Amino acid sequence: MEILVCVRRVPDTSENEIQLNSEQNDIERDDLVYSVNEWDNYAVEEALQIVGRLGGHVTVVTVGGEDDEEILRRQMAMGANHGVLLSDAAFEGSDGLGIARILAAFVKKGSYDLVLTGVQAEDGGAAVGGMLAAMLDYPFASLVNAVEVLDGARALRVSREIEGGNREISEIDLPCVLSIQTGINEPRYVGMRGIRQVASIPIPTHGAADLGLAAGAVGAAGAKVTREDYFVPPAGKGAEMLQGKRDEVVDKLVELLAAKGGLK
Amino acid sequence: MAPIFAYIEHRGGVPDDTAAELAAAARTIDATSAPTAILTGAGADLGAVAESLRASYDEVWTIGGDALAHPNAELVRAALVGALPRGSVVLVAHNHFGMDMAPGLAVRMQAAMVSDILGIEAVDGTSMRAVRQEFGGQVSAHVRCDLSAGAVVTVRPGAFKPAGGAPVNGRVVDKSSAIGAIAARRRYIETVVAEAGDVDITKHSVLVSVGRGIQDQENVALAEALAEALGAAVSCSRPVVDAKWLEKSRQVGTSGQTVKPKVYLACGISGAFQHLAGLKGSPFIVAVNKNPKAPIFQYADVGIVDDVLEFIPALTEKVRARS
Amino acid sequence: MDGFLPPAQATFWLIQGRTLFWILHLLGLACFLYIAARRFVPLMRAERDVRFDRPLQRLGKVAQFWFGQWKHPRYPLAGAIHILVFAGFLLLATRAFTVLIHGVNEDFVVPGLTGWAGRAYALVTHYAATVVFLCMVVAAVRRLVFKPARYALPEGASPRRALDAIFLLGLIAALMLADAVYEASEAAAHAQLGHHGAPLGALSMPWMLEKAFASASVPALHRTYLGAYLAHEILFFFLLCYRPFGIQFHVETSLFSVYFAKLDRGTVKPVKWGVSEEQLAQAKSIGVKTFEDFTWKHILDFYSCADCGRCSDNCPANAVGRPLSPRFITTKGRDYSFEHYPVAGTARNGTPLIGSIYSEDEIWSCTTCGACEEECPLLIEYIDKIVDLRRGMVDEGKVPQSLQKPLKALESRGNPYGKMEKKRADWARAKEFRQTCEVATLDGSQRAATLYFVDSITSFDDRMQSIGRATARILDHVGEPFGILGAAEKDSGHEVRRFGEETLFMALRDHNVEAIKASGATRIVTADPHAFNALRHDYRDVPPIEHISQVIARQVKAGRIAFAPLADSQPTYTFHDPCYLGRHNRVYDDPREVLDAIPGLKRVEMDRCRDRSFCCGGGGLMLFYEPKEDQRMGVLRVKMAAEAGADVIVTACPFCLVNVEDAIKVAGLEGRLGAVDLAELVDRQIARPAPPAAPGEAPAGPGRDVVM
């Protein structure tokens, strides 16, 4: 099976304190450490396990710049066979739709049986996978937490995570796009040694012209959604200690819970 | 202003809570024009839901068909593309269904796509300014969305309060004929229900979390009672799992699960770094602990110094009495 | 002598003795040499090991541990038995050799063992054989009747192993008996014939047998004599050739195991001997994945294990029900070796070890506390093997999910918590603390002779930061100019290395060495035994390092630290030896001297103290690992403290403190047991006209420990 996994380099939420900068219009970007988006990592592991069982190749692709090569290499150190960078000044400022268009153009150049994305990235948009599928006219399933390749490798049986811990089981024809949920598998560890070994492998790069993309379709020019700023809604500091007799405290708490959406 | 539609999810003949929330969101976008509810389904259930929506929507479009009995996002999407006029603004709840159906719908309708909005600040002409969160809720952002070619907007459940107001007397319009044949390249097989005890605490927006202060396995039942009254799930810190009072899947922390609830009740939890690191986003944290110096009080929004074994039952009683 | 022919001249079933025994000797020897050569084969295919250096030091170890049986008395009864049997074997060696030669040359006498020396030696051998025989009986009774727990077989093992042990004991006893009968029957016959040789040792086995044979006829005695000799021959060569098939191989290999034992304490072997660190990146595979990836010394260890179980008996992971038993690591390795490299037949290709004879959890369970290596009388090494197996797993990406996040954080942020580098020195900037003590950052603008290496947990953990502050105040009090590296410090990498991520360890180490050099410090102090061990043994080219307990002890003796009496002298204190301060680095007395210098402090020792200290649960990455266990090591340890009558547990390691404080709660002993770090206690008790300890510090004494 030929599997393409779309990956993204994001600031690691567990190793960064996401804070506003002093101008209060963006997050503080000095001192951020980046890594591959956690969902995408699960997707790559799933792809590796599938080709491990059935044979084939895993390609990882990202839209970005030179800085983003490091995550392609990390996924190649993990076992992906190929890494591709889609990079062009014209891509900058793309919204989710733009990213999906760029990825779609790349997918159409190759012949992949399966395209995987993570459910979402740090911006929580969770839309690129679904948009990509529609652009390719492939069937789509999101929040996938189990994948089984059916005999003949022409369809998959997938489980989707739905509310209450339940799972929706469907069959989906190949080629298709899936967005992968965390916890689907246990990603293998990528050691520093492995990363050093792939440090100098060349990463092919494709630009707008290679992909046949018109300038107005992508990048800031083609964006329909733009982020204006970052801000933090005002919040209090430290716990407000509720004083009084237990009954009074309970009453106060119930009111607070109701206001915060904690009651049924 | 383009027509505004709200896709309504339902189960068992009853609309989802988000139906009223989407109506409120629609009115924030355009206070003057009335949104249209649109829903898919089959049989009597569909009809019953449509009926109940007449009170809050001027028009209720139904698309019925056996194939649509289960909300298969692929089929629903195809149906909506057939029925919705180009340039519409479509509101969908941002949940497991919305995330599945909405993005592809935007592309098929050649519309903009903006997801998981928490608020709408302004709409001037065809530009909507909305509020989203990023980085697991650590920061908020203002985004601008161009509505000129239509848009699909997914709305965070619970972000918009259902607007009060006089009930309308909407009419139901059957649009079933609008859809043609739909190729089922994704076919629904079945739903596997989680085993009792297979609760996924990461999917709950309210958690009653217990720590060592619960003191004994038997006392976990107190937390369970409170959780039931709140419609919440019980989670815990590591010591509770180590003591085998709850299973591992309930643990919140660096070596447990990462949760992003709206409300987190930390009962008898001291607030160790390893535990709190599993709590992301900006939940409303209530801490109950008999130690006034417990570190949790530095992280909580509201703190109560009391014996959890006494406090929890008292709270449960009040919550039950209220609902 | 008339009729009573020596074995060489007698006839055995038509064959003359001399001929028969030449054949037997040559066959036996050839058989043994062939078996030994076959056993050598896997060693030839194994990885390199550098063990031929420092011969004098190695001979010293042989003298102490092999000849001197140094570790044996740690288990008194088994130790006594073994020392006696070992001494007996050494003493009897010459006799055995002589007896064998008699089969082909009846006049042979060992040069020098003539006259009174020969007679004296003969007496010694009578008693030696008796003692060995009795020891075999006692050992058999122990195994069959009392069944010590540490001899228990692994689940699913065939009972053959247990029977094998009894069989061997029986064989040795039979050998002693055969020799005694041989001696006694000759002496009895000679007595009857009127030739009196030297008397047999009174009350020895041969002596008693001689008395028993007194009434037998000479021909009967002669037959017995020859029969005993033949039996002796057969038993001797059977044992010689049988030993390499089981645990008794240690008789031959122990000398080599001890000679080639690891000399460098506290450090872990390089990934591959002879392969430089730069070359490691190119290596196709690192770590132990298949059997041949072990070094020859490690395979020799598998041969040398006597299956005594002392290692597992002291292993804390084993005690809490984790899947690890060091003894089974070795015996499974041995079984694998015998199966895949059989004496008869061709060597078979092996499968990866993890997943076949070892499980992943088994190998991750080890806290590297070193209790097993401390106990082993044969100096068998475990930590290096486990680290090598972990290296293999890391190389294949098989790392438990719970460890991947801290490892990733160590890579990006230099600490396992993922906290920002620039906040590493925040513990020193707490407002109230700064009023009592200013901590310099040695970033070039400030210099000091002493570097306080804080390491990650003390820097970032809210509770453990108080150890940092206490340590700083102590250094301040003794007037020692010091500073910290601050944001330039990264995790020492001690556990990173021991968990098999060698490349990440090297990156952390290289970074720290640069920073230490840039600081200009000429000595290093730390309160973290893991950092202490890393900088002392894993790092090269850094200034000498001391643990804070050593500094305090020295300053107390020099009179620069005096203690105020304890406010509450009622509680009893006990010191828990951290594995990386005590066992790995032999610092046992300094912390105790410090505690004993505090007026009013009552101290008791736990049974398991000093080099028998019981691991608290482990530090560094081990804090993140999720083992399958019946209970926590820390819980067992605090119960030991309670049993010893202690009210307060004093430790000198932040990881020990985390685990102990946690365990006190889990064990339900809050209010009855408390815990405190040595530096915290010292800081509190130093007699100085200084303000009281900053808020948030842990008070000592029962029931007042900080909630975690």
Side-chain angles (χ1 to χ4, degrees), chain B residues 212 238 242 244 248 255 270 273 291 299, chain C residues 417 419 626 629 632 662 665-666 707-708:
Chain B
R212 251 195 295 262
R238 181 164 175 188
D242 286 345
K244 305 213 168 91
K248 178 69 196 187
S255 57
S270 56
F273 154 75
N291 177 5
Y299 299 97
Chain C
Y417 311 106
K419 302 238 177 142
E626 314 259 275
E629 55 189 9
R632 294 203 203 176
D662 238 24
K665 288 174 196 146
V666 172
V707 174
M708 208 13 214

Side-chain angles (χ1 to χ4, degrees), chain C residues 145-165:
Chain C
V145 176
F146 295 99
K147 300 202 212 285
R150 63 181 184 275
Y151 298 154
L153 289 175
E155 275 180 39
S158 76
R160 234 206 75 208
R161 269 248 289 275
L163 291 173
D164 195 57

Side-chain angles (χ1 to χ4, degrees), chain C residues 619-638:
Chain C
L621 286 167
M622 192 44 92
L623 288 184
F624 296 86
Y625 176 61
E626 314 259 275
K628 295 186 191 64
E629 55 189 9
D630 297 334
Q631 60 182 315
R632 294 203 203 176
M633 291 177 197
V635 169
L636 280 186
R637 188 53 166 165
V638 302

Side-chain angles (χ1 to χ4, degrees), chain B residues 93-319:
Chain B
H94 189 79
N95 56 20
H96 65 91
F97 177 82
M99 290 164 82
D100 207 23
M101 194 280 291
L105 181 65
V107 167
R108 295 284 301 276
M109 291 177 61
Q110 297 178 311
M113 168 86 221
V114 61
S115 6
D116 196 23
I117 64 166
L118 284 93
I120 296 168
E121 300 224 325
V123 179
D124 35 28
T126 54
S127 178
M128 175 177 78
R129 189 162 186 258
V131 175
R132 297 190 65 253
Q133 283 181 346
E134 293 195 13
F135 296 104
Q138 291 182 69
V139 287
S140 300
H142 290 117
V143 297
R144 201 158 267 290
C145 178
D146 175 7
L147 304 176
S148 57
V152 175
V153 180
T154 67
V155 177
R156 181 174 292 189
F160 286 84
K161 304 292 166 280
V168 300
N169 191 8
R171 63 188 189 110
V172 178
V173 179
D174 182 2
K175 292 283 187 179
S176 306
S177 55
I179 62 168
I182 306 173
R185 288 182 299 167
R186 183 176 122 193
R187 301 166 287 283
Y188 169 71
I189 309 285
E190 61 174 347
T191 298
V192 174
V193 176
E195 289 161 31
D198 253 25
V199 170
D200 184 354
I201 58 172
T202 65
K203 293 294 164 274
H204 284 259
S205 60
V206 182
L207 288 172
V208 176
S209 206
V210 295
R212 251 195 295 262
I214 207 77
Q215 279 182 36
D216 211 65
Q217 180 150 25
E218 290 136 22
N219 299 328
V220 175
L222 299 174
E224 270 159 1
L226 176 59
E228 222 221 333
L230 291 171
V234 174
S235 60
C236 66
S237 58
R238 181 164 175 188
V240 171
V241 173
D242 286 345
K244 305 213 168 91
W245 300 341
L246 279 173
E247 63 268 27
K248 178 69 196 187
S249 57
R250 303 291 189 134
Q251 182 191 331
V252 173
T254 50
S255 57
Q257 312 246 39
T258 302
V259 294
K260 301 167 195 170
K262 277 189 320 196
V263 176
Y264 192 76
L265 284 141
C267 308
I269 290 177
S270 56
F273 154 75
Q274 288 90 343
H275 176 71
L276 291 171
L279 201 49
K280 295 274 191 239
S282 322
F284 179 70
I285 304 176
V286 178
V288 184
N289 198 304
K290 68 177 171 215
N291 177 5
K293 289 217 191 111
I296 187 97
F297 290 123
Q298 289 175 25
Y299 299 97
D301 297 293
V302 166
I304 297 156
V305 179
D306 201 345
D307 183 347
V308 292
L309 299 181
E310 312 273 326
F311 189 85
I312 293 178
L315 179 61
T316 310
E317 214 183 288
K318 274 289 161 60
V319 172

Side-chain angles (χ1 to χ4, degrees), chain A residues 109-252:
Chain A
K109 282 183 57 144
S111 62
Y112 297 99
D113 302 300
L114 177 61
V115 179
L116 302 181
T117 72
V119 164
Q120 63 189 58
E122 83 286 8
D123 60 359
V128 169
M131 292 195 283
L132 175 61
M135 288 174 189
L136 296 170
D137 195 25
Y138 286 179
F140 174 66
S142 64
L143 296 160
V144 171
N145 57 18
V147 178
E148 188 194 323
V149 180
L150 298 175
D151 279 346
R154 295 208 303 180
L156 307 174
R157 193 185 195 85
V158 295
S159 160
R160 287 187 60 240
E161 181 186 273
I162 59 180
E163 80 284 336
N166 299 341
R167 303 186 301 130
E168 177 195 76
I169 315 292
S170 308
E171 243 182 53
I172 183 168
D173 290 341
L174 290 172
C176 69
V177 178
L178 303 178
S179 83
I180 301 294
Q181 179 60 296
T182 57
I184 185 176
N185 53 40
E186 291 195 350
R188 65 201 64 185
Y189 178 70
V190 183
M192 218 177 184
R193 193 177 92 96
I195 293 170
R196 292 211 175 150
Q197 286 179 321
V198 299
S200 29
I201 297 182
I203 307 267
T205 307
H206 300 292
D210 302 317
L211 298 173
L213 288 165
V218 296
K224 297 199 180 186
V225 178
T226 49
R227 187 183 60 242
E228 291 190 334
D229 63 12
Y230 282 109
F231 69 98
V232 172
K237 287 252 179 276
E240 178 203 335
M241 305 302 289
L242 299 184
Q243 312 284 358
K245 298 240 267 293
R246 183 174 295 142
D247 277 338
E248 295 164 20
V249 170
V250 168
D251 282 335
K252 253 188 269 183

Side-chain angles (χ1 to χ4, degrees), chain C residues 358-510:
Chain C
Y358 301 134
S359 76
E360 291 184 36
D361 284 330
E362 183 178 2
I363 304 304
W364 293 114
S365 290
C366 174
T367 66
T368 69
C369 77
C372 50
E373 295 185 349
E374 193 70 23
E375 266 336 288
C376 181
L378 292 146
L379 305 186
I380 287 173
E381 293 143 31
Y382 281 101
I383 295 179
D384 276 353
K385 293 189 183 84
I386 295 213
V387 172
D388 267 347
L389 284 160
R390 287 175 175 177
R391 285 168 174 159
M393 287 195 280
V394 168
D395 202 41
E396 311 235 293
K398 295 188 182 126
V399 175
Q401 294 297 305
S402 58
L403 293 178
Q404 291 195 23
K405 256 204 326 218
L407 280 168
K408 173 93 200 353
L410 280 158
E411 191 192 322
S412 349
R413 288 288 191 197
N415 67 79
Y417 311 106
K419 302 238 177 142
M420 298 172 79
E421 299 89 333
K422 63 187 184 196
K423 302 203 160 188
R424 201 171 174 106
D426 280 2
W427 64 269
R429 299 188 194 128
K431 228 173 67 174
E432 280 114 357
F433 172 71
R434 284 187 89 167
Q435 289 163 5
T436 62
C437 179
E438 192 69 45
V439 177
T441 303
L442 303 179
D443 56 4
S445 61
Q446 305 177 81
R447 296 180 86 79
T450 300
L451 168 65
Y452 171 28
F453 191 93
V454 186
D455 215 351
S456 302
I457 188 171
T458 309
S459 301
F460 291 112
D461 183 296
D462 289 326
R463 168 68 185 91
M464 297 310 136
Q465 287 177 348
S466 86
I467 298 181
R469 290 189 272 265
T471 306
R473 271 198 295 265
I474 292 169
L475 290 172
D476 204 36
H477 175 80
V478 301
E480 175 126 17
F482 76 98
I484 59 174
L485 290 175
E489 182 188 280
K490 289 200 175 186
D491 195 275
S492 66
H494 186 261
E495 259 58 46
V496 173
R497 187 174 206 204
R498 283 150 185 76
F499 273 73
E501 238 289 25
E502 187 77 9
T503 312
L504 177 57
F505 160 73
M506 295 192 298
L508 292 166
R509 176 200 63 192
D510 292 343

Side-chain angles (χ1 to χ4, degrees), chain C residues 88-99:
Chain C
F89 270 36
L90 286 182
L91 291 169
L92 288 166
T94 311
R95 160 128 186 110
F97 179 67
T98 314
V99 168

